[in-house]
Amino acid sequence: MNLVMKIGFGVALSFMTLAQAAAADEFKLSNNQRISCSRGLSAGKLNTATCKSYAYVFNVKTSEYFRCQVTLALTRDNKEVINVQTDGGCTKKPRIFEADSNYSFDATETEPPNTNSFFGPGGYSVWASDNNALKVRGCIIISSGLGSDISKCLDMSFQ
């Protein structure tokens, strides 16, 4: 399992380097990365561990963001690692605010699927705030289970 952590760390580091190289002044990596791993037993005493991690790269000027995912699957028997596969990429998402400004952003993923999960995996929430005005928007995005995401955002009121 030590190999999984090393490869996962290397991929995460490459995402951070890529985000910094894009434009240091306009793109920021969210502070809320998560990783979840699952294990499975296959026929013939093979063990498979699959780890997924998500991160968000945010344009602080336009409020557009990218949802990035990296997956690592490791298969081994009792003596050696048989196969390691990785996959990942970033998907561009729409603006949170219509006008350009100076924004802050954070995001979090849903917990892995469990018996309390109604819609299954794939949901996340994002929060963005305008650094120049008292303006905060919270959004929840979930999978509809029908091949499309449902996204609703709400502007926060201050009392």
Side-chain angles (χ1 to χ4, degrees), residues 2-157:
N2 193 14
L3 179 64
V4 172
M5 297 308 264
K6 287 180 183 177
I7 293 173
F9 179 73
V11 173
L13 188 60
S14 66
F15 269 126
M16 289 190 290
T17 303
L18 180 68
Q20 291 171 352
D25 293 335
E26 288 190 10
F27 292 95
K28 303 288 183 191
L29 184 67
S30 69
N31 295 320
N32 202 4
Q33 300 87 30
R34 295 282 188 247
I35 185 169
S36 64
C37 297
S38 63
R39 292 185 190 184
L41 296 174
S42 305
K45 296 184 181 180
L46 295 178
N47 295 313
T48 301
T50 303
C51 294
K52 289 184 180 182
S53 183
Y54 302 91
Y56 295 84
V57 177
F58 181 69
N59 186 319
V60 298
K61 182 178 180 185
T62 67
S63 78
E64 290 175 326
Y65 65 99
F66 293 83
R67 182 176 181 267
C68 303
Q69 172 183 323
V70 62
T71 304
L72 181 136
L74 175 121
T75 304
R76 68 177 183 88
D77 61 14
N78 290 335
K79 297 180 182 178
E80 65 180 330
V81 172
I82 297 170
N83 189 16
V84 176
Q85 295 178 350
T86 56
D87 190 20
C90 296
T91 305
K92 186 176 183 178
K93 300 296 182 176
R95 294 174 75 125
I96 296 172
F97 293 105
E98 296 75 28
D100 288 357
S101 187
N102 178 15
Y103 297 106
S104 294
F105 175 87
D106 209 354
T108 187
E109 294 286 326
T110 57
E111 295 294 323
N114 58 42
T115 56
N116 298 324
S117 177
F118 183 73
F119 291 101
Y124 60 97
S125 65
V126 297
W127 287 89
S129 65
D130 190 330
N131 294 329
N132 299 327
L134 190 57
K135 187 175 187 178
V136 176
R137 187 167 287 171
C139 305
I140 294 180
I141 301 92
I142 62 170
S143 172
S144 68
L146 303 173
S148 62
D149 289 344
I150 304 299
S151 174
K152 292 294 180 180
C153 296
L154 182 66
D155 288 330
M156 298 293 110
S157 59

